[in-house]
Amino acid sequence: MLQIIPVVTKKQRKEFVEYPLRLYKGNPYFVPPLYGDEMKIFTDKNIYHKTCKSAFWLAVKNGETVGRIQGIIQNQYNDIHNVKKARFTRFDCERDEQTAKALFNAVETWAKENGMDEVVGPLGYSDLEREGLLIEGFDYLSTFEEQYNYDYYGNLVERAGYVKDVDWVEQRLFATPQQDERLHMLAERALTKSNLHVASTNMSKSKFIDKYAKGIFECIDECYKELYGVVPFTDEMRNQMVSQFKLILNLDYILVVCDENEKVVAFGFCLPAIGCALQKSGGKLTLGCLFRLMKTIKNPKSIDLALIGILPQYRKSGLTSLVLIRLEKMLKTGRVEYMETNLNLESNVNIQATWKHFNHIQHKRRRSYIKQLKDE
């Protein structure tokens, strides 16, 4: 007998977090999130509780967990855009249509009870959470920033009545044999003409964060505000993001450009690819995992391109050339073999055109789905 059970007890919360670790055990492409961060989503340490409403369910059959799902109502996003959307996320399921439909029915019923008229996803609390269902590229290692799923998930979602809303594509970038010298000329001209400079990274990680984190987040808000599913960051959101990513930062893979008043006007934010370091421990920060993390962070085999942003007034100045030069330099540092772009909206032709400067392949595609909720 199949049961859909709301997650309310400590034991159920633990089961919610650990179910995908069993589901993907032995899968070479699955990368778990940090276990501690996942457990915090149920507590007051998850500051999104102040701007969002959420609920969690487990699918249980004959005493065994066979699926899970989370529903989110992002009030901040809905108020800004005057919409009534709920989001689904953290959907994992056995290959069974009945189980998947029952999980989605739980989210949809809850959404309607809260006055929503659409469900979209997979989308998290913000754009810096894992989002999108993998529909191409199942034989590539997932990045730490994005979620892996089995190839049957798309069919389960669509059989539950969901259709495509948007797609993201991902690229793998490789160093080019010879860089275009025009990029250096354009970059130097952009800095000189607008009286800009590259921020120094010759300081401790903590000092760099204290000096530039606020400006980077303000730049993110301005650059990304029109993109799909994005919400502006509150101070508490910023602090939580810094806390979550501080451990894996390597200043060698960060570019910050400032004006004469030290205002951040552009940035390129990359992270050492730590996926392999987390697989063995299931995302738990054991001593062995910490050792692997420190080794990887210091000398990664690949790097993940988390975010790039240039304020609108500087986008035609030539600063893109500076970003490209720095990315190319990262690809030729140490033992780095390639860079993963993570998610780029397929409709974002400007960012797609940027990757032509590298040897690259488009190897993954992710999808956000949507379903209209009808009164019954």
Side-chain angles (χ1 to χ4, degrees):
M1 178 180 176
L2 178 66
Q3 295 176 289
I4 303 300
I5 301 173
V7 175
V8 292
T9 69
K10 184 177 180 179
K11 182 178 180 180
Q12 290 168 339
R13 291 170 178 174
K14 187 171 183 286
E15 179 65 9
F16 186 91
V17 172
E18 294 187 353
Y19 171 66
L21 302 181
R22 297 196 303 273
L23 184 66
Y24 292 98
K25 186 175 182 179
N27 186 295
Y29 310 117
F30 172 75
V31 172
L34 289 177
Y35 186 91
D37 286 346
E38 287 297 282
M39 291 301 297
K40 287 177 184 177
I41 63 176
F42 302 104
T43 72
D44 291 339
K45 292 182 179 179
N46 179 10
I47 50 80
Y48 289 107
H49 287 326
K50 294 185 178 182
T51 56
C52 302
K53 188 172 185 177
S54 59
F56 308 81
W57 295 269
L58 290 170
V60 179
K61 186 185 295 182
N62 300 323
E64 297 291 331
T65 301
V66 291
R68 69 168 194 168
I69 200 167
Q70 178 187 0
I72 295 173
I73 297 175
Q74 210 336 327
N75 292 311
Q76 189 182 11
Y77 180 88
N78 286 352
D79 291 344
I80 291 172
H81 297 276
N82 193 27
V83 294
K84 297 179 179 180
K85 295 179 183 285
R87 303 177 174 196
F88 76 85
T89 187
R90 293 178 171 86
F91 167 67
D92 286 291
C93 188
E94 63 174 355
R95 192 196 294 259
D96 183 78
E97 187 177 323
Q98 179 191 16
T99 302
K101 284 184 175 179
L103 286 167
F104 282 109
N105 183 64
V107 174
E108 292 158 17
T109 300
W110 172 79
K112 286 191 285 189
E113 289 172 351
N114 283 276
M116 302 295 105
D117 54 28
E118 293 178 323
V119 177
V120 296
L123 290 174
Y125 294 107
S126 78
D127 190 50
L128 294 190
E129 282 211 321
R130 295 180 170 194
E131 58 188 1
L133 195 81
L134 188 66
I135 60 171
E136 294 176 9
F138 301 102
D139 54 352
Y140 286 93
L141 178 69
S142 182
T143 64
F144 170 69
E145 298 81 21
E146 303 302 337
Q147 181 68 23
Y148 182 83
N149 58 262
Y150 287 123
D151 58 3
Y152 63 81
Y153 274 40
N155 184 57
L156 292 181
V157 174
E158 291 167 12
R159 296 290 289 177
Y162 289 78
V163 297
K164 173 184 173 179
D165 198 13
V166 301
D167 275 9
W168 296 272
V169 293
E170 300 178 51
Q171 316 279 346
R172 179 170 285 188
L173 311 180
F174 304 91
T176 55
Q178 186 173 357
Q179 197 173 73
D180 188 343
E181 289 301 320
R182 291 175 300 176
L183 294 178
H184 291 270
M185 181 183 68
L186 290 171
E188 186 62 34
R189 183 185 298 171
L191 292 174
T192 303
K193 185 176 180 180
S194 300
N195 198 20
L196 305 174
H197 64 276
V198 176
S200 172
T201 56
N202 188 25
M203 62 185 76
S204 70
K205 190 187 300 185
S206 295
K207 286 184 178 180
F208 187 88
I209 290 171
D210 289 342
K211 187 171 184 177
Y212 295 111
K214 186 174 185 294
I216 291 173
F217 277 109
E218 289 174 349
C219 197
I220 292 173
D221 279 342
E222 179 63 25
C223 294
Y224 285 70
K225 63 182 180 182
E226 301 299 331
L227 296 185
Y228 182 85
V230 171
V231 294
F233 288 95
T234 65
D235 288 341
E236 290 172 313
M237 290 177 189
R238 294 168 181 168
N239 292 337
Q240 180 165 297
M241 287 296 106
V242 169
S243 176
Q244 288 178 339
F245 285 95
K246 183 177 180 178
L247 173 66
I248 59 176
L249 288 182
N250 182 329
L251 297 187
D252 290 339
Y253 304 117
I254 295 176
L255 167 70
V256 174
V257 181
C258 300
D259 65 13
E260 66 271 22
N261 298 313
E262 287 298 294
K263 177 183 177 181
V264 176
V265 303
F267 66 92
F269 186 68
C270 298
L271 297 169
I274 62 170
C276 291
L278 295 172
Q279 287 179 314
K280 186 175 181 179
S281 70
K284 294 181 180 180
L285 294 178
T286 62
L287 285 177
C289 178
L290 285 170
F291 175 78
R292 292 189 297 272
L293 274 176
M294 295 302 101
K295 183 178 179 181
T296 301
I297 291 167
K298 185 176 181 180
N299 193 17
K301 289 182 64 176
S302 62
I303 51 180
D304 300 338
L305 178 51
L307 294 166
I308 291 177
I310 300 175
L311 290 180
Q313 59 268 40
Y314 293 97
R315 286 176 187 166
K316 295 182 179 180
S317 69
L319 277 184
T320 301
S321 299
L322 180 64
V323 174
L324 292 173
I325 291 170
R326 184 56 63 93
L327 294 180
E328 181 74 26
K329 182 179 179 181
M330 293 177 191
L331 282 168
K332 294 179 177 178
T333 300
R335 60 173 185 162
V336 173
E337 297 174 3
Y338 59 85
M339 177 182 292
E340 297 274 354
T341 66
N342 282 316
L343 277 64
N344 301 147
L345 281 168
E346 65 175 352
S347 58
N348 191 338
V349 294
N350 290 330
I351 195 67
Q352 306 300 335
T354 301
W355 309 134
K356 70 181 181 181
H357 294 280
F358 301 88
N359 292 330
H360 70 281
I361 56 171
Q362 180 189 312
H363 63 313
K364 297 178 189 174
R365 179 178 292 267
R366 296 180 186 273
R367 179 163 296 169
S368 180
Y369 292 86
I370 187 168
K371 183 178 182 178
Q372 305 294 327
L373 301 180
K374 300 178 182 179
D375 293 327
E376 299 179 353

